[in-house]
Amino acid sequence: MNKALLFLFLLCIYSCKQPKKETVSSTFLTLPTNIDYAQGFTIEKTSPDVTIIRVSSPWPESEESFTYALVPKEKLSTIILNSDEYNAIIGVPVQNIVVTSTTHIPALEALGEIGKLIGFPDTKYISSPKTRKRINEGLVQELGNNESLNSEMVIALNPEVVVGFSINHENKAYETIQRSNIPVVYNGDWTEETPLGKAEWIKFFAPFFQKEKEADSIFNSIKDNYNNAKVLAEKAKNRPKVLSGALYKDIWYLPGGKSWASTFIEDANAEYLWNSNSSTGSLSLSLESVIELGHDADFWISPSQFGSYSELREANRHYTQFSAFRNKNVYTYANSKGETGGLLYFELAPNRPDLVLKDLIHIFHPELLPNYAPTFFKPLD
């Protein structure tokens, strides 16, 4: 065999042993995943199985967006991505994860992936019995609190990904974690302004576990339950007037007229007394203005942290001026707590808006759901 043939023979052997590499650019994005209600993220698939998640609303009024590439682990060595185009490139399915908001817990549980959770800040706020069991067994490590996440402990755990929650672009703990080559991905579920928009963020979590079909099925079930409940509420013969919120110091805080919380009241076929307001956040009003508009409201929903009529009366005698107080028509989520005091509403309600809506229909129109057992909203003691 001459030298030329020997060279070609060796080249063939070498080439056959090397995995073929594909170069993927963002210019070849195809097949967007249907995101029908959420406004803060999109998902796209590329032809060589790369999933691109773009988070455009990691926190309110953000001027930054983040792009993440998820690649099957078995193809990480064969697919070439331009790292400058992405905030993180992550091999999937992930086998361990750290999340930072209680609203992330129900999504992991619904997908059957709570066993992958290895760390969380402020575990006392988690209410789910299933996850609390894992915490009590030492399988989920306490990582400080979200405002001062213990980056050293996170780095020692070495999770494959950290799902971050932040109120702005300044988070030194996340920066430290990222410098240790642990990817941080931002989740902005809490910035959504509609009930189904928040719930649809289960589709954000699904690609990390390669469970997109399961997430679609779960969300479609929640969506159908919500819309069916909304149609049921339309059958009510009356439309009660509703007050919300309570005083903090000298300011009464209550939902804006176009907020997530006010949408539930309207969809339950009740009249939220501040529905003409265009705010998607909260309102800060004087006690006098609330009494003027709300003193004859039929129901009072979400009176802050108060769980009993005696607590309301002792906090401020003016609360007794409201008809809803006198008629014992005040309902709260403050009495639905986990074993360590976490409020179930803050954890599960964004993920299960269908249950919130049914709670309110049961309150406003008990004849429509006579045997319903509420999940979140219950009468004050």
Side-chain angles (χ1 to χ4, degrees):
M1 183 180 295
N2 62 37
K3 291 183 178 179
L5 288 176
L6 178 60
F7 174 77
L8 291 174
F9 177 72
L10 293 174
L11 178 63
C12 177
I13 293 176
Y14 177 81
S15 298
C16 292
K17 289 183 178 179
Q18 301 308 305
K20 183 180 180 180
K21 293 190 177 183
E22 295 181 78
T23 301
V24 179
S25 170
S26 60
T27 59
F28 296 105
L29 294 179
T30 57
L31 301 176
T33 296
N34 288 334
I35 306 295
D36 300 318
Y37 298 89
Q39 301 295 310
F41 77 104
T42 61
I43 300 177
E44 295 173 294
K45 281 275 191 180
T46 66
S47 53
D49 298 323
V50 178
T51 300
I52 307 299
I53 300 178
R54 301 183 191 279
V55 178
S56 58
S57 183
W59 49 79
E61 301 179 1
S62 172
E63 296 180 356
E64 297 181 67
S65 62
F66 297 85
T67 304
Y68 310 107
L70 278 56
V71 182
K73 288 180 176 177
E74 68 273 15
K75 296 187 177 182
L76 277 172
S77 61
T78 62
I79 292 178
I80 301 174
L81 294 171
N82 182 355
S83 60
D84 292 337
E85 295 182 2
Y86 308 102
N87 295 97
I89 298 172
I90 302 158
V92 295
V94 300
Q95 296 303 312
N96 53 72
I97 189 171
V98 165
V99 301
T100 54
S101 170
T102 56
T103 61
H104 304 163
I105 300 298
L108 296 184
E109 290 191 354
L111 291 170
E113 298 294 344
I114 198 62
K116 306 291 174 59
L117 179 67
I118 60 173
F120 187 88
D122 274 338
T123 56
K124 66 183 179 182
Y125 290 114
I126 295 178
S127 299
S128 164
K130 182 182 294 185
T131 304
R132 287 235 58 87
K133 182 175 183 293
R134 288 183 52 78
I135 294 169
N136 295 338
E137 292 172 350
L139 300 175
V140 180
Q141 187 165 336
E142 172 67 60
L143 299 175
N145 60 66
N146 196 64
E147 290 75 18
S148 56
L149 183 68
N150 191 318
S151 56
E152 292 183 359
M153 294 181 69
V154 175
I155 293 168
L157 275 179
N158 195 31
E160 293 183 42
V161 65
V162 173
V163 178
F165 157 84
S166 186
I167 60 173
N168 56 44
H169 69 282
E170 296 181 359
N171 196 307
K172 294 182 179 179
Y174 291 156
E175 293 172 4
T176 300
I177 293 167
Q178 287 172 312
R179 285 196 296 269
S180 297
N181 295 319
I182 297 173
V184 175
V185 300
Y186 283 100
N187 179 292
D189 58 2
W190 65 289
T191 68
E192 296 289 339
E193 298 169 358
T194 65
L196 290 176
K198 287 181 184 287
E200 198 165 20
W201 277 77
I202 191 172
K203 296 180 182 180
F204 167 91
F205 284 97
F208 292 95
F209 306 101
Q210 296 181 320
K211 287 194 169 181
E212 290 90 336
K213 290 183 179 179
E214 290 87 342
D216 286 345
S217 177
I218 293 166
F219 176 73
N220 286 337
S221 176
I222 293 170
K223 176 186 67 176
D224 290 344
N225 288 341
Y226 188 94
N227 288 331
N228 290 338
K230 185 177 177 180
V231 170
L232 177 65
E234 293 172 357
K235 297 179 180 180
K237 296 180 180 179
N238 67 310
R239 196 164 186 263
K241 296 181 180 181
V242 180
L243 162 73
S244 188
L247 286 168
Y248 178 71
K249 296 183 178 179
D250 295 328
I251 303 297
W252 190 299
Y253 294 97
L254 69 167
K258 299 298 181 286
S259 65
W260 177 70
S262 64
T263 299
F264 282 119
I265 296 171
E266 293 294 326
D267 287 351
N269 197 10
E271 180 185 354
Y272 180 51
L273 291 173
W274 285 266
N275 61 9
S276 62
N277 176 273
S278 61
S279 173
T280 59
S282 64
L283 304 178
S284 306
L285 304 178
S286 67
L287 171 63
E288 292 76 17
S289 67
V290 175
I291 290 176
E292 181 180 1
L293 186 58
H295 69 282
D296 285 334
D298 300 294
F299 294 95
W300 182 355
I301 300 296
S302 305
S304 189
Q305 79 279 9
F306 297 107
S308 69
Y309 287 99
S310 60
E311 289 177 1
L312 273 176
R313 185 183 297 106
E314 291 170 8
N316 194 305
R317 61 183 177 81
H318 293 294
Y319 287 139
T320 63
Q321 296 184 43
F322 293 96
S323 295
F325 181 99
R326 296 195 302 271
N327 296 330
K328 298 294 189 289
N329 278 332
V330 186
Y331 292 80
T332 182
Y333 53 69
N335 291 337
S336 299
K337 297 180 179 180
E339 66 178 65
T340 53
L343 292 176
L344 181 63
Y345 183 77
F346 293 145
E347 179 175 316
L348 184 59
N351 292 266
R352 293 300 306 271
D354 53 325
L355 299 180
V356 178
L357 184 58
K358 287 182 179 180
D359 277 12
L360 295 180
I361 292 172
H362 176 68
I363 292 169
F364 302 148
H365 313 292
E367 73 281 2
L368 297 180
L369 291 172
N371 300 314
Y372 178 77
T375 303
F376 307 106
F377 287 102
K378 299 172 184 177
L380 259 64
D381 295 333

